[in-house]
Amino acid sequence: MSAFSRVLRASSQLARSPRSSAVSAPRFRAGPSAFALSTRGVVTKRYTSDHEWVSYDSDTSIGTVSITNYAQGALGDVVFVELPEVGSEITQGDQIGAVESVKAASDIYAPVSGIVEEVNTALGDKPGLLNKSPEGDGWLCKIKLTKPTELENLLTDEAYKKHCESG
């Protein structure tokens, strides 16, 4: 069961549980701007069969890209990272960089199409961030997606796990 499913289950159980009369819910007084709440967009994470991931924020149309934990484990200690140029227009499947480790070198392919908005310059001095936090601080680049529908063709978390188990 995913963490998201556990949170949903817990929140639905809270909603069904009887409330103690000793605890009262906080009161909300509607003022002039009470209904000027913003909605939060959806963040979608998808994977490629080549072990890259993209986390897409629908509010900004930005996808953060890196390699998966599985990939960093297979590579071993990363010693060099080649990143794409900011402003580069890329197409899904294009080579956008490379990772060199003590075991091997591996090309990085764009999981989505778009324009490179930002690169993780910290990887220049600390390529080992890819080993320590491949799905966190070790991100490679941020891409402004031009075709968000390409995400639909990538692997979900469950499908990616099955892919890794079968390979």
Side-chain angles (χ1 to χ4, degrees):
M1 178 183 297
S2 73
F4 183 70
S5 297
R6 287 190 296 272
V7 169
L8 283 177
R9 179 174 285 163
S11 65
S12 67
Q13 288 171 347
L14 275 173
R16 289 189 303 242
S17 67
R19 299 192 194 233
S20 166
S21 60
V23 177
S24 62
R27 301 268 179 208
F28 177 75
R29 188 180 308 240
S33 63
F35 299 103
L37 301 174
S38 66
T39 59
R40 182 166 182 205
V42 177
V43 175
T44 305
K45 191 168 188 178
R46 294 288 188 261
Y47 303 84
T48 70
S49 57
D50 291 325
H51 309 288
E52 292 96 8
W53 61 263
V54 58
S55 180
Y56 174 71
D57 183 331
S58 64
D59 276 350
T60 62
S61 296
I62 297 288
T64 303
V65 176
S66 193
I67 63 172
T68 64
N69 192 50
Y70 181 91
Q72 74 79 22
L75 283 168
D77 292 338
V78 175
V79 295
F80 178 77
V81 180
E82 178 185 333
L83 299 170
E85 293 288 323
V86 172
S88 301
E89 189 169 335
I90 57 174
T91 302
Q92 186 178 44
D94 283 354
Q95 180 184 345
I96 59 170
V99 175
E100 293 180 18
S101 72
V102 293
K103 288 185 189 177
S106 182
D107 291 332
I108 305 298
Y109 298 97
V112 290
S113 299
I115 298 171
V116 177
E117 295 281 311
E118 184 179 353
V119 296
N120 189 353
T121 56
L123 294 174
D125 295 329
K126 298 178 183 178
L129 279 173
L130 272 177
N131 295 112
K132 291 177 184 152
S133 184
E135 298 190 36
D137 292 337
W139 59 274
L140 297 170
C141 64
K142 295 187 180 193
I143 299 171
K144 180 87 164 182
L145 275 66
T146 54
K147 299 178 184 176
T149 56
E150 291 175 336
L151 292 166
E152 297 168 11
N153 299 323
L154 299 176
L155 302 172
T156 63
D157 186 54
E158 184 177 315
Y160 178 70
K161 286 177 184 174
K162 286 181 183 175
H163 170 72
C164 291
E165 291 168 0
S166 68

